[in-house]
Amino acid sequence: MSSSLFNGWEVVIGLEVHVQLATRSKIFSGASTATGDEPNRHASLIDLGMPGTLPVVNKEAIRNAVRFGLAINAEIGRRSVFERKNYFYPDLPKGYQTTQLAEPIVGAGEVVIRLEDGTEKTVRIHHAHLEEDAGKSLHEAFSDGMGHGQTGIDLNRAGTPLIEIVSEPDMGNAEEAVAFARQLHAIVTSLGICDGDMSQGNMRFDVNISVRRPGEPLGTRTETKNLNSFRFMEKAIKLEVERQIDVLEDGGKIVQETRLYNGDTNTARSMRTKEDANDYRYFPCPDLLPVLVSEEDIEALRAEMPELPDARKARFMDAYQLSDYDAALLAASIATARYFETAADHGGDAKLAANWVMGDLAAKLNAEDLDIAHCPVPAEHLGQLIQRIKDGTISSKIAKQVFEACWAGDGSPDQIIESRGLKQMSDSGELEKIIDQIIADSPAQVEDYRGADEAKRKKKIGFFVGQVMKATQGKANPQQVNQLLQEKLTP
Ligand code: ADP
Ligand code: MG
């Protein structure tokens, strides 16, 4: 089951993933799911479970859950049941969360993940169920110097529809867990059922981790909750694996508990020992009828399924002659895929577009911690830049300069090339004059070059190329410069 050992220990990981569905209204009321508004603007009485109110289930939330089920080849629950999970928490004034337990909408399925070494692995999905989100506690410190503060409750998020996806414990290290999380992200964003903005908590990951000696039964697990970035997830897993191995090797025992990870300090702490399901006194919600999904409903949704990441990858390889690796990377997120396709179409060169998206663009996004959806350079502009490299207007070196200017908001590539006079020199007469001058000014280097053998000349020509580029401010075509120099330097 696991792919690698850590000091003789096998790591076992299972994920519970909360996916916020991109419906306009909440799961049991007509209140808006909009975010960013004043606190408690969208705190519907129904979602707060006020006496006398009755919930009505949002059909689009049901359809979204079914779409997910179809995407992972799962059995769709033709009948599913909402239950009350009872617990007290300030951000849950109802006193219970409406969720599903015994009869979820999505049954067992599977997700195929691809690892860095090119191998594939199947992660089984135990089930996925529909539920409502809770509100948010906002902690605010007073500046009274006494450490006092106050906590406010914002219930705008209460009742936002979620699907919770529960995996089998099929992952054996952080890389596999992150690959699984990314593939789920790719699937739900491709389906259009989730906006996928991790920084907004659109997807939250709870990671269950245990370790054991190979061949032994599963060890006691801990759960690290609410990770909302792939990078933090990887770090949190490594940290917890090390901690568990340390505890066990010191003769200690792992306590089944819920842990909280702090990304700023790369530390984690115990939050509470874990409750068992029966502590929650689940029972079917008497206010909601069972949800029935017919064969026709399922077939209708199946017929209109959008392209999924694996199909998109195959199409990229086929249509753009991309390698398996490039295609997989570009198809992995719907936003990246759209950006790449637009840039490739406008630029007329898929390979160049792929290199730019995975190279300079990715590096820049990474450095500024930006999602491609918020990229300051529109895909059409990258396409235009690629066109100008292809048609020889600019060299790839100047292209990097133009790209930086685009990023800074200085305009389109054509505007920048024009206003800064960055066009490559195409007049060979003008270039020849510059080269002749440089040769005339460098008698020692010319003699040195002419006295060298073939191999050494290749190196020594660099001096002249550098001089020409300096004199032309990088606007000469490097191939043309090389060719002219060789002609003129060969006696
Ligand atoms: P509970 O009923 O307590 O929520 P589940 O059996 O539903 O527990 O499992 C919850 C999650 O924990 C699942 O993703 C599952 O794969 C994972 N899991 C269960 N046992 C282990 C274990 N020993 N080590 C790691 N993960 C586990
Ligand atoms: Mg469970």
Side-chain angles (χ1 to χ4, degrees):
M1 203 184 274
S2 141
S3 8
S4 44
L5 287 184
F6 298 79
N7 238 350
W9 294 90
E10 187 178 282
V11 174
V12 177
I13 301 173
L15 261 59
E16 293 162 286
V17 183
H18 287 94
V19 174
Q20 213 174 79
L21 297 176
T23 57
R24 291 177 46 205
S25 56
K26 292 186 176 175
I27 185 166
F28 300 121
S29 77
S32 167
T33 53
T35 57
D37 290 323
E38 230 173 80
N40 300 313
R41 268 285 191 78
H42 311 301
S44 153
L45 298 182
I46 292 176
D47 296 307
L48 307 189
M50 289 298 174
T53 60
L54 265 185
V56 177
V57 70
N58 179 338
K59 285 203 179 113
E60 188 57 14
I62 306 278
R63 284 193 283 266
N64 283 344
V66 173
R67 289 184 178 108
F68 175 73
L70 293 174
I72 62 160
N73 279 323
E75 195 63 40
I76 305 300
R78 302 288 297 277
R79 174 195 142 99
S80 65
V81 173
F82 283 106
E83 304 201 28
R84 292 184 178 181
K85 177 183 184 181
N86 300 281
Y87 64 97
F88 170 78
Y89 213 71
D91 61 18
L92 187 79
K94 281 166 84 167
Y96 60 87
Q97 179 193 30
T98 307
T99 179
Q100 300 185 315
L101 182 72
E103 294 177 82
I105 181 116
V106 175
E110 52 185 48
V111 170
V112 177
I113 60 172
R114 194 166 295 99
L115 302 170
E116 239 161 69
D117 64 6
T119 57
E120 288 187 346
K121 176 168 179 169
T122 299
V123 175
R124 293 166 302 153
I125 302 296
H126 181 272
H127 78 273
H129 61 259
L130 273 165
E131 63 185 29
E132 61 181 340
D133 210 342
K136 263 186 198 167
S137 303
L138 306 167
H139 307 287
E140 194 171 276
F142 291 148
S143 50
D144 63 356
M146 313 265 291
H148 293 134
Q150 65 180 1
T151 294
I153 308 287
D154 177 6
L155 295 167
N156 282 347
R157 200 179 64 181
T160 296
L162 304 174
I163 47 173
E164 179 177 338
I165 303 161
V166 181
S167 87
E168 295 287 354
D170 284 351
M171 288 147 280
N173 55 44
E175 190 206 344
E176 291 182 2
V178 171
F180 173 69
R182 283 187 186 278
Q183 182 70 357
L184 280 185
H185 183 270
I187 291 171
V188 298
T189 53
S190 295
L191 287 170
I193 65 172
C194 172
D195 292 337
D197 191 341
M198 307 272 292
S199 68
Q200 295 302 308
N202 289 175
M203 280 183 92
R204 286 145 13 213
F205 299 90
D206 300 345
V207 185
N208 297 275
I209 304 174
S210 64
V211 302
R212 64 174 167 187
R213 293 293 187 192
E216 295 203 332
L218 285 178
T220 302
R221 72 175 192 268
T222 64
E223 178 185 38
T224 304
K225 272 191 103 67
N226 273 332
L227 298 163
N228 66 355
S229 100
F230 299 126
R231 197 157 44 95
F232 284 166
M233 184 171 157
E234 182 176 351
K235 288 186 164 181
I237 292 172
K238 289 184 169 157
L239 192 71
E240 177 59 8
V241 166
E242 273 174 32
R243 188 192 69 88
Q244 289 192 12
I245 291 175
D246 279 352
V247 168
L248 294 171
E249 291 190 343
D250 284 348
K253 273 204 167 87
I254 301 301
V255 182
Q256 183 165 333
E257 63 185 358
T258 300
R259 299 180 65 82
L260 267 190
Y261 174 77
N262 180 338
D264 294 332
T265 53
N266 192 34
T267 53
R269 64 177 171 84
S270 173
M271 190 165 80
R272 55 167 189 253
T273 54
K274 168 121 180 138
E275 299 85 349
D276 280 324
N278 56 14
D279 293 333
Y280 288 117
R281 300 289 188 268
Y282 279 92
F283 65 89
C285 179
D287 288 344
L288 287 159
L289 290 167
V291 175
L292 304 179
V293 181
S294 70
E295 197 61 39
E296 295 85 76
D297 296 336
I298 295 174
E299 287 320 310
L301 289 169
R302 197 196 301 279
E304 56 173 47
M305 285 283 276
E307 185 178 50
L308 291 175
D310 289 347
R312 192 182 306 126
K313 178 196 146 201
R315 180 169 62 80
F316 280 4
M317 290 177 69
D318 195 48
Y320 301 117
Q321 322 290 297
L322 293 179
S323 71
D324 193 289
Y325 181 84
D326 291 359
L329 263 179
L330 293 168
S333 110
I334 182 86
T336 308
R338 286 207 183 114
Y339 192 101
F340 158 69
E341 285 207 273
T342 308
D345 290 347
H346 279 73
D349 189 321
K351 185 62 197 164
L352 254 184
N355 288 345
W356 272 89
V357 172
M358 292 183 301
D360 292 72
L361 185 80
K364 199 80 185 159
L365 290 169
N366 223 347
E368 304 205 2
D369 213 5
L370 270 181
D371 193 275
I372 196 158
H374 306 295
C375 177
V377 180
E380 291 80 2
H381 285 180
L382 182 62
Q384 193 177 71
L385 185 69
I386 286 162
Q387 234 176 38
R388 296 299 161 252
I389 302 171
K390 267 185 71 98
D391 66 16
T393 307
I394 52 172
S395 65
S396 348
K397 200 163 163 213
I398 294 288
K400 288 187 192 282
Q401 201 179 314
V402 176
F403 177 73
E404 287 290 333
C406 278
W407 185 280
D410 293 353
S412 73
D414 279 350
Q415 286 166 340
I416 293 163
I417 293 167
E418 186 59 40
S419 69
R420 302 194 181 181
L422 293 173
K423 267 202 185 102
Q424 193 155 255
M425 276 176 67
S426 49
D427 180 349
S428 65
E430 200 183 330
L431 188 57
E432 266 187 81
K433 259 191 238 157
I434 293 171
I435 290 178
D436 288 342
Q437 189 62 48
I438 287 168
I439 289 179
D441 289 347
S442 328
Q445 282 87 351
V446 172
E447 199 180 320
D448 183 42
Y449 178 89
R450 291 190 173 150
D453 62 24
E454 187 83 15
K456 288 218 175 97
R457 279 185 177 183
K458 278 214 173 92
K459 270 191 163 174
K460 291 186 187 284
I461 203 167
F463 164 77
F464 297 97
V465 174
Q467 294 292 308
V468 177
M469 285 305 177
K470 210 164 133 195
T472 59
Q473 286 153 334
K475 284 184 281 179
N477 177 330
Q479 273 160 312
Q480 202 181 5
V481 171
N482 250 293
Q483 201 189 338
L484 281 171
L485 276 170
Q486 275 180 37
E487 280 169 27
K488 289 179 184 285
L489 285 169
T490 311

